[in-house]
Amino acid sequence: MERMSVQPVKDKPLIIGLTGGIASGKTTASRIFKACHIPIIDSDHIVKELWAHDKSMRQEIEDAFGYTMDESGIKRLTQDIFSNDDKRKVLNRIIHPRVFKRIEDLKEELYHEPIIMIDMPLLIEVGYQKEVDITVLVYVDQQTQLKRLIARDHLSENDAYMRINSQMSLEEKKAHADVILDNRSDTHQLEKQIISFLNSLKHEE
């Protein structure tokens, strides 16, 4: 684990942003933090809730892309946004403001907590690291990322590369991170790093 010095505001909850890349192990890290009693605001869960309940968002997406967001339409949308930067940006412009609004609402609900973690895959890409006190990156090298993604999602190598390349590389993200959790080993080693990081926060109080 690599750590840089930060100066959080003491009279407010410490806001930690957790990010990574596809198949880097961010979800596993999030589960470990949750098991350590850190409240998690999960942006992916927020997006799923929006898809399920926000009819105006679905309609806006259908109008923008020109097809119905039924099961086949969503599969088509997934292919479109992984293969076309412009279409991905259109989708993000529709979804992200709603996600950010929900995050702010949840932060208000958790205001009494000493620490709040925001789990956001695109934390750095969308500039949300400016809204957190500490940015934590779950890192793996690209070959490990590729191997895990192929195994997890049963993708061809080309499709796996396309999905990895649709995001900022983990090497680039390292430059924006305050804490780097090296997940090239196993879950036990990742857990040790997370516990060490949380203990370091206690010493700073």
Side-chain angles (χ1 to χ4, degrees):
M1 181 189 75
E2 299 176 29
R3 177 77 197 275
M4 295 168 61
S5 176
V6 294
Q7 297 294 326
V9 179
K10 294 298 183 183
D11 61 346
K12 297 180 180 179
L14 181 73
I15 307 296
I16 301 173
L18 178 68
T19 193
I22 189 169
S24 69
K26 181 187 61 61
T27 300
T28 300
S30 184
R31 284 199 297 265
I32 296 169
F33 277 109
K34 187 174 182 179
C36 293
H37 309 292
I38 304 299
I40 309 291
I41 298 175
D42 185 336
S43 66
D44 280 347
H45 178 72
I46 292 172
V47 171
K48 289 177 183 177
E49 289 291 304
L50 289 169
W51 273 105
H53 303 295
D54 191 331
K55 294 180 180 178
S56 67
M57 186 189 82
R58 291 178 70 99
Q59 186 61 58
E60 194 173 343
I61 293 169
E62 289 179 353
D63 292 344
F65 285 84
Y67 47 83
T68 303
M69 290 300 141
D70 52 16
E71 185 176 348
S72 63
I74 290 172
K75 287 181 180 178
R76 179 179 173 185
L77 179 67
T78 300
Q79 288 296 319
D80 282 348
I81 63 174
F82 278 125
S83 61
N84 188 300
D85 286 344
D86 290 337
K87 290 182 178 181
R88 184 164 59 253
K89 289 175 183 176
V90 169
L91 182 67
N92 288 344
R93 282 197 295 269
I94 296 170
I95 293 180
H96 286 169
R98 291 172 164 90
V99 174
F100 298 154
K101 173 62 168 61
R102 182 58 180 152
I103 288 173
E104 291 306 310
D105 291 343
L106 291 170
K107 283 166 64 178
E108 286 295 322
E109 293 177 17
L110 294 167
Y111 194 78
H112 61 284
E113 297 283 352
I115 298 174
I116 301 170
M117 173 162 280
I118 299 172
D119 178 343
M120 185 181 292
L122 300 181
L123 184 88
I124 294 167
E125 288 92 327
V126 301
Y128 202 85
Q129 82 271 19
K130 298 173 185 175
E131 307 298 324
V132 305
D133 298 306
I134 302 175
T135 296
V136 176
L137 172 68
V138 183
Y139 171 82
V140 293
D141 60 273
Q142 190 179 81
Q143 284 305 308
T144 300
Q145 187 181 17
L146 180 68
K147 182 180 178 180
R148 290 179 181 175
L149 180 57
I150 290 170
R152 188 191 73 183
D153 291 357
H154 310 291
L155 299 173
S156 69
E157 186 170 309
N158 284 340
D159 283 345
Y161 266 123
M162 182 174 68
R163 296 195 177 199
I164 290 171
N165 290 334
S166 73
Q167 300 178 342
M168 180 187 292
S169 76
L170 290 170
E171 295 299 331
E172 290 179 272
K173 289 186 178 186
K174 286 174 74 173
H176 300 273
D178 301 305
V179 176
I180 298 169
L181 302 173
D182 188 337
N183 193 32
R184 288 175 289 183
S185 184
D186 55 27
T187 302
H188 177 66
Q189 292 300 317
L190 179 62
E191 184 176 10
K192 284 177 62 177
Q193 293 175 74
I194 288 171
I195 291 171
S196 175
F197 164 58
L198 291 176
N199 285 337
S200 75
L201 295 180
K202 293 178 183 177
H203 295 320
E204 291 178 6
E205 292 178 353

